[in-house]
Amino acid sequence: HVGSQQVDRKVDSVCPFCGVGCLLTYNVKDEKIVSVDGRDGPANHGRLCVKGRFGFDYAHHPQRLTKPLIRKPGFPKDFDQAPRPGDWSEAFREASWEEALALTAGKLKDLRDTHGKKSLAGFGSAKGSNEEAYLFQKLVRTGFGSNNVDHCTRLCHASSVAALLEGVGSGAVSNPVNDVEHAELIFIIGSNPTANHPVAATWMKNAAKRGAKIVLADPRRTDISRHAWRTLQFKADTDVAMLNALIHAVIDEGLVDEAFIRDRASNFEALRENVKGYSPEAMAPICGVPAETLREVARAFASAKGAMVLWGMGVSQHVHGTDNARCLIALVTVTGQIGKPGSGLHPLRGQNNVQGASDAGLIPMMFPNYQRVDNAGAHAWFENFWGVPLDEKPGYTVVEIMHKALAPDDDPHKVRGMYIMGENPAMSDPDLNHARHALASLEHLVVQDIFMTETAWLADVVLPASAWPEKTGTVSNTDRMVQLGQRALNPPGDAKPDLWIIQQIAQRMGLDWRYEGEESGVAAVYEEMRQAMHAAISGISWERLQRESSVTYPCLDADDPGQPIVFIDNFPTADGRVKLVPADIIPAAERPDADYPFVLITGRQLEHWHTGSMTRRASVLDAIEPMATASMCQGDLQSLGLEAGDVITIRSRRGEVAIHVRRDDGTPAGAVFVPFAYYEAAANLMTNAALDPFGKIPEFKYCAVQIRRGGAP
Ligand code: SF4
């Protein structure tokens, strides 16, 4: 460790991991980051978790890509041939930028001109900047010619956003996380904040210390339950039953906020009618929570001065994810717990910039700022703004694109070429054997990344990009704060800024783009994006960000301080009211049976981020959690004759992994939890690609598996 006085320079930026968006300072010595300090940002006030504080040296890892690579003719695109980790020289040869860019842009152009605009698709990144996300979606829409552009929001909160847009007219949070300070009741559902949003969890724990009641509702009894007033360990897949029971109890016990319903909501009668059949007494055996506990929580929620709901992917990653979120919207609406401090709806965003990438239009049905591509007014506005004709049909989503890559040759919408920037679907998609086969089947795949990821391994061309500390740009956190990160280092070797690479491909595909200025014109791109998103960020200029580091949107002019709490007077819906949408029980797409008797739940753990490409190359984090483990409760270990530390093989109808098992009595009986960050035991080999029909999000949180002792991890 080098003391902060001895460093060559200190550069202010933002943590590149989760959506909490902690501001930090990189301490640089001899062109290397040697330590990280927390800054007094609005989301963290100097705090950092283990990832933010110690997970920085991935940027200096010897496996960084430093040259463009072109696949050697005939080298097979499969994982049997994959070196783990490291030497890829058998599969790829180094190339100049000119050769790699000409090859990849030429191939994409040929496919588009031969097979039509739907033959191409792009996945952008929630780990890049807003400017990169904006330019990437603009390239796909104006250069590829379709709306086939998506990113990992599809795997994360797409169902929450579908319900929020439908219900309250905005997909973002209503109140920032640290507004829990003003809440009397904090309802956390389907989220493990101490592992996934650690600094946010510290605000929740602080609130509990000063007397706020935390209610944790989750099939897994995770760490935050130690601070909880009540833990509702409901049976996996019964979210709608439990939430409708809470709404039933609120109505049944005369706790509805009548004035709020009268003045600010619509469709209440339909909701009331629907939840009649969901009494706590009837739902208790289904969800596994005693009826009196459900009633007690409903009373406390309704009578609290402020009750705030925070949720994670335990809510969203189900075939009924949109229905789950509809129930949460209904719960805060019938109790009037929205539009004031210490209340509201907060879907905790996962990736550092999944909020911003979605805002910037990196989704197949929306232009920037959630303007629907099939809305005539929005379509005309963007055609005029970008000066090219645009497709008026929504594009395909992440999982649909994988299906379309394997479509028959005569399908006019068959996807044949892809550009993937900074995402790793060969690890993060459900049913990986299918997804990897789809990626390998493409006629051309170009991957832009900082490491040879599992996805890059299947590429025809690999373009070496910049790590977050090597570039300047903005990201938007879970609280709707637009925050500026500044370049601390130069990229290694011939690696280039992502913004530069996108522009090079665009120009070679015939787009006359000119973004002048430092760092590939990042400020000019931001200013164009600001015009495209004028209804949200028109008051946040580049100069203001350089001055203030962090500004919350909506922010409409230079004097607007930003609005951390929204919906105070009305909702941005057509009639200004919340639309209540009743939901009924829809079971998981694949339930346990005699052959596959256990439920697989996948997720993250504290030390490793997403598919592990960065954190597993961060020395401290890798030292703390070096290998994959599955978690099971003691009762299940005993019934299978297992002990903690044994190797087990977990198998679904789609794939299997061998993995060490650890004891965790917070994991419910009949379930096994596996983190998805480890390529050696890739959890998504087993997951089910069944989709929520509204958000098109896969059911990562529930599928049927069998477990046996033994195997080769
Ligand atoms: Fe980074 Fe999230 Fe940890 Fe903050 S809480 S330091 S943003 S990983």
Side-chain angles (χ1 to χ4, degrees):
H1 184 267
V2 177
S4 58
Q5 304 81 356
Q6 299 158 265
V7 300
D8 298 334
R9 60 182 180 277
K10 292 165 161 287
V11 182
D12 289 344
S13 190
V14 189
C15 174
F17 293 109
C18 89
V20 175
C22 299
L23 297 192
L24 50 71
T25 299
Y26 290 121
N27 297 314
V28 180
K29 186 168 179 58
D30 301 332
E31 297 311 311
K32 281 197 165 26
I33 299 171
V34 289
S35 62
V36 171
D37 295 321
R39 270 199 292 154
D40 189 14
N44 64 315
H45 296 291
R47 299 176 184 191
L48 292 176
C49 78
V50 67
K51 290 190 285 286
R53 192 169 299 282
F54 297 111
F56 55 83
D57 61 346
Y58 72 92
H60 307 306
H61 197 279
Q63 289 170 0
R64 280 290 302 273
L65 296 171
T66 57
K67 296 262 185 212
L69 301 171
I70 293 176
R71 189 172 206 88
K72 290 182 179 171
F75 193 86
K77 290 184 174 183
D78 65 48
F79 277 83
D80 293 342
Q81 308 290 327
R84 293 284 179 202
D87 179 15
W88 50 80
S89 57
E90 257 188 273
F92 295 93
R93 68 171 171 85
E94 292 181 354
S96 68
W97 272 103
E98 191 46 52
E99 184 189 9
L101 288 168
L103 172 66
T104 210
K107 285 278 186 194
L108 294 173
K109 204 158 168 280
D110 279 356
L111 289 170
R112 179 193 68 190
D113 296 344
T114 310
H115 298 286
K117 294 170 175 175
K118 307 278 190 196
S119 64
L120 300 181
F123 290 167
S125 176
K127 295 220 76 59
S129 67
N130 287 324
E131 296 73 37
E132 290 158 6
Y134 173 81
L135 267 202
F136 190 90
Q137 60 87 36
K138 183 178 170 186
L139 166 62
V140 173
R141 295 195 152 106
T142 63
F144 292 8
S146 81
N147 293 305
N148 283 348
V149 62
D150 209 354
H151 76 295
C152 69
T153 190
R154 196 64 43 209
L155 311 176
C156 165
H157 266 306
S159 48
S160 308
V161 170
L164 288 165
L165 286 171
E166 167 193 74
V168 300
S170 162
V173 302
S174 67
N175 299 53
V177 172
N178 54 22
D179 207 31
V180 293
E181 190 190 337
H182 304 290
E184 280 186 359
L185 190 140
I186 302 163
F187 189 84
I188 303 165
I189 176 165
S191 166
N192 180 7
T194 23
N196 295 327
H197 302 88
V199 168
T202 66
W203 304 122
M204 300 173 201
K205 293 181 212 170
N206 287 165
K209 245 188 204 164
R210 62 137 185 86
K213 289 175 172 165
I214 290 181
V215 176
L216 172 67
D218 201 299
R220 296 170 66 215
R221 196 182 66 248
T222 55
D223 186 62
I224 197 86
S225 77
R226 293 193 291 119
H227 305 265
W229 168 66
R230 293 290 177 270
T231 295
L232 314 182
Q233 197 173 6
F234 64 97
K235 292 182 194 165
D237 193 38
T238 65
D239 318 56
V240 167
M242 184 190 66
L243 293 170
N244 273 349
L246 293 175
I247 299 166
H248 176 108
V250 168
I251 296 172
D252 186 42
E253 301 199 13
L255 300 169
V256 171
D257 186 334
E258 302 285 355
F260 195 89
I261 294 292
R262 183 189 64 231
D263 298 339
R264 305 204 49 192
S266 63
N267 215 26
F268 175 64
E269 280 313 314
L271 180 82
R272 186 209 302 263
E273 201 48 41
N274 190 63
V275 298
K276 273 186 182 161
Y278 288 89
S279 72
E281 291 68 27
M283 291 304 106
I286 294 173
C287 68
V289 181
E292 188 42 44
T293 308
L294 291 168
R295 286 189 178 274
E296 188 186 22
V297 168
R299 277 179 222 127
F301 193 96
S303 58
K305 243 193 226 148
M308 189 167 169
V309 178
L310 300 110
W311 74 93
M313 273 142 253
V315 164
S316 59
Q317 291 175 336
H318 287 281
V319 291
H320 46 79
T322 303
D323 281 338
N324 294 347
R326 284 170 172 156
C327 292
L328 294 173
I329 295 167
L331 180 64
V332 300
T333 303
V334 297
T335 51
Q337 296 286 12
I338 189 162
K340 60 183 183 181
S343 73
L345 297 161
H346 192 117
L348 285 153
R349 257 45 190 216
Q351 300 257 16
N352 60 330
N353 198 34
V354 70
Q355 180 65 59
S358 304
D359 298 343
L362 210 55
I363 36 184
M365 54 294 276
M366 312 280 191
F367 292 128
N369 204 30
Y370 306 96
Q371 305 292 300
R372 280 202 67 93
V373 298
D374 49 8
N375 174 290
H379 188 261
W381 193 93
F382 276 97
E383 279 200 337
N384 180 51
F385 186 60
W386 287 330
V388 288
L390 299 170
D391 189 359
E392 73 282 2
K393 294 235 165 49
Y396 291 116
T397 58
V398 165
V399 176
E400 290 171 334
I401 286 170
M402 291 300 152
H403 290 313
K404 280 293 170 192
L406 291 171
D409 228 29
D410 58 358
D411 183 332
H413 291 184
K414 180 178 172 68
V415 171
R416 298 166 190 271
M418 282 192 74
Y419 177 11
I420 298 179
M421 174 182 77
E423 294 225 327
N424 193 8
M427 277 289 286
S428 60
D429 267 28
D431 190 4
L432 279 185
N433 284 321
H434 177 273
R436 290 172 178 180
H437 179 44
L439 290 166
S441 304
L442 292 165
E443 289 174 43
H444 188 73
L445 172 62
V446 51
V447 172
Q448 174 176 323
D449 216 307
I450 62 173
F451 293 113
M452 180 61 72
T453 62
E454 290 71 17
T455 304
W457 179 249
L458 300 172
D460 297 283
V461 172
V462 181
L463 303 176
S466 295
W468 175 246
E470 295 157 5
K471 53 198 178 186
T472 294
T474 65
V475 283
S476 302
N477 78 347
T478 190
D479 294 329
R480 295 182 268 105
M481 293 166 185
V482 183
Q483 311 201 99
L484 183 65
Q486 309 203 63
R487 181 164 56 92
L489 304 163
N490 288 319
D494 286 345
K496 295 282 189 191
D498 295 76
L499 218 48
W500 181 88
I501 303 171
I502 302 167
Q503 291 176 49
Q504 294 298 313
I505 292 179
Q507 280 157 11
R508 283 167 178 78
M509 291 194 72
L511 295 168
D512 184 22
W513 285 6
R514 287 176 210 289
Y515 295 99
E516 308 288 346
E518 284 178 12
E519 300 202 47
S520 310
V522 62
V525 176
Y526 177 82
E527 286 302 334
E528 180 181 312
M529 183 180 77
R530 187 159 75 109
Q531 289 177 43
M533 297 176 58
H534 54 93
I537 61 167
S538 52
I540 311 177
S541 66
W542 188 257
E543 291 70 31
R544 185 171 175 182
L545 282 167
Q546 285 178 313
R547 238 180 10 253
E548 297 180 26
S549 283
S550 172
V551 186
T552 301
Y553 73 84
C555 177
L556 301 183
D557 59 56
D559 298 325
D560 185 347
Q563 299 168 37
I565 301 173
V566 291
F567 314 148
I568 292 169
D569 300 316
N570 62 4
F571 293 91
T573 51
D575 60 4
R577 290 167 168 269
V578 191
K579 184 180 173 197
L580 293 167
V581 181
D584 280 313
I585 295 171
I586 296 169
E590 185 183 66
R591 304 275 306 170
D593 56 23
D595 294 332
Y596 295 86
F598 282 86
V599 173
L600 170 69
I601 303 173
T602 64
R604 300 194 181 111
Q605 57 189 158
L606 171 62
E607 295 79 5
H608 287 304
W609 184 252
H610 215 242
T611 66
S613 58
M614 292 157 66
T615 50
R616 296 200 67 202
R617 292 175 172 100
S619 53
V620 171
L621 302 177
D622 186 50
I624 300 172
E625 277 290 350
M627 59 192 271
T629 53
S631 300
M632 295 177 75
C633 67
Q634 175 66 356
D636 283 345
L637 291 178
Q638 264 173 355
S639 68
L640 291 172
L642 296 167
E643 285 185 14
D646 282 351
V647 173
I648 57 171
T649 297
I650 312 173
R651 179 187 173 84
S652 79
R653 290 182 174 84
R654 293 157 293 280
E656 68 176 36
V657 302
I659 188 169
H660 288 88
V661 68
R662 65 166 39 143
R663 175 181 168 181
D664 170 17
D665 290 340
T667 305
V672 57
F673 174 81
V674 182
F676 66 95
Y678 299 85
Y679 63 80
E680 319 88 306
N684 282 321
L685 286 166
M686 300 178 287
T687 49
N688 189 357
L691 300 181
D692 169 281
F694 305 99
K696 306 281 179 81
I697 191 169
E699 194 157 52
F700 288 114
K701 292 291 187 228
Y702 199 101
C703 73
V705 293
Q706 52 184 233
I707 297 171
R708 66 175 166 80
R709 189 196 190 103

